[in-house]
């Protein structure tokens, strides 16, 4: 008597059947038109997303405390713009490459498109809307106006948030340093010289930023 025998479902026959089933499935999928596969994938994405439950989040934005429930996949940028309607923070690339979405988190500048809102539990966020003191513009906002630091203005909120951080970080002692530490903020209008002039004025004026 042969003491070696296949456990049902694990022997060579079963492995062959399983292989044939899988390869038939792959062949069938290859024959399905692309749009149909994409539609199925999109539907699957939605179902996966629906599995995520909203989770509670407490944070402070521009001095106002918020207690909300959000999907964990919500970026800080989308949370600010869509949940809180603070549309001053701009969405440029959405990939961390343009700096249009720069805000301060506990005083540090971050690209809000690159972090999830739920990562900022208990933190203090400042957006361009929170920079001015009531009706009085922040010195950096005033300097941008004075030096024509913007043209279309799309990059300007992110530029101003970075410019303030740049001075606070002690990275604005020379034109070269300013250009280097502002290099994460892209301006399609090319207002760079004016932006540098605005930052130099604020830095030179010794005003509190
Ligand atoms: S939108 Fe965030 S870096 Fe471009
Ligand atoms: S002012 Fe237009 S993108 Fe900078």
């Amino acid at each position: 008597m042969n003491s070696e025998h296949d456990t049902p479902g694990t022997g060579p026959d079963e492995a062959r059947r399983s292989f044939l089933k899988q390869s038939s499935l792959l062949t069938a999928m290859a024959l399905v038109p692309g749009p149909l596969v994409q539609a199925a994938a999109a539907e699957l994405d939605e179902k996966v997303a629906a599995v995520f439950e909203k989770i509670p989040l407490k944070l402070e934005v521009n001095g106002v405390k918020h207690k909300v429930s959000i999907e964990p996949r919500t970026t800080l940028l989308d949370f600010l713009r869509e949940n809180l309607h603070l549309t001053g923070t701009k969405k440029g690339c959405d990939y961390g490459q343009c700096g249009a979405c720069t805000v301060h988190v506990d005083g540090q500048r971050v690209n809000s498109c690159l972090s999830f809102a739920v990562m900022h539990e208990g933190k203090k966020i400042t957006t361009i809307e929170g920079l001015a003191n009531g009706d009085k513009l922040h010195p950096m906002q005033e300097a941008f106006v004075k030096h024509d630091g913007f043209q279309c203005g799309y990059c300007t909120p992110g530029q101003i948030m970075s410019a303030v951080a740049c001075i606070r970080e002690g990275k604005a002692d020379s034109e070269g340093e300013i250009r280097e530490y502002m290099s994460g903020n892209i301006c399609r209008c090319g207002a760079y010289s004016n932006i540098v002039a605005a930052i130099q004025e604020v830095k030179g004026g010794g005003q509190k930023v």
Side-chain angles (χ1 to χ4, degrees), residues 103-110 165 169:
V103 299
H104 296 171
V105 176
D106 283 348
Q108 304 291 313
R109 54 175 150 168
V110 304
E169 292 161 9

Side-chain angles (χ1 to χ4, degrees), residues 92-94 96-99 101 111 113:
C93 62
D94 214 14
Q97 291 174 350
C98 73
C101 64
N111 286 342
C113 69

Side-chain angles (χ1 to χ4, degrees), residues 150-194:
F150 55 91
Q151 291 175 38
C152 77
Y154 197 81
C155 73
T156 311
Q159 298 277 6
I160 290 177
M161 298 310 286
S162 263
V164 170
C166 198
I167 291 180
R168 287 182 186 163
E169 292 161 9
K171 305 293 187 192
D173 288 332
S174 66
E175 178 177 341
E177 201 172 46
I178 291 171
R179 285 187 183 272
E180 183 175 347
Y181 286 91
M182 290 294 293
S183 62
N185 289 77
I186 307 299
C187 175
R188 286 167 296 179
C189 299
Y192 295 114
S193 304
N194 302 3

Side-chain angles (χ1 to χ4, degrees), residues 80-82 84-91 127-129 157:
L80 293 169
R81 289 181 55 85
E82 289 166 26
L84 301 188
H85 308 294
L86 293 170
T87 53
T89 305
K90 301 297 184 233
K91 184 181 282 196
T127 70
I128 191 72
E129 290 93 342

Side-chain angles (χ1 to χ4, degrees), residues 39-53:
E43 194 184 333
L44 185 62
D45 278 352
E46 285 307 310
K47 284 186 176 152
V48 169
V51 169
F52 286 118
E53 287 186 13

Side-chain angles (χ1 to χ4, degrees), residues 36 52 57 72 74 79 99 111 208:
L36 215 55
F52 286 118
L57 171 68
T74 307
F79 172 68
N111 286 342
K208 185 169 179 340

Side-chain angles (χ1 to χ4, degrees), residues 140 167 170-173 178 198-207:
M140 191 62 76
I167 291 180
K171 305 293 187 192
D173 288 332
I178 291 171
I199 297 173
Q200 283 181 312
E201 172 159 316
V202 177
K203 169 71 182 170
Q207 302 160 76

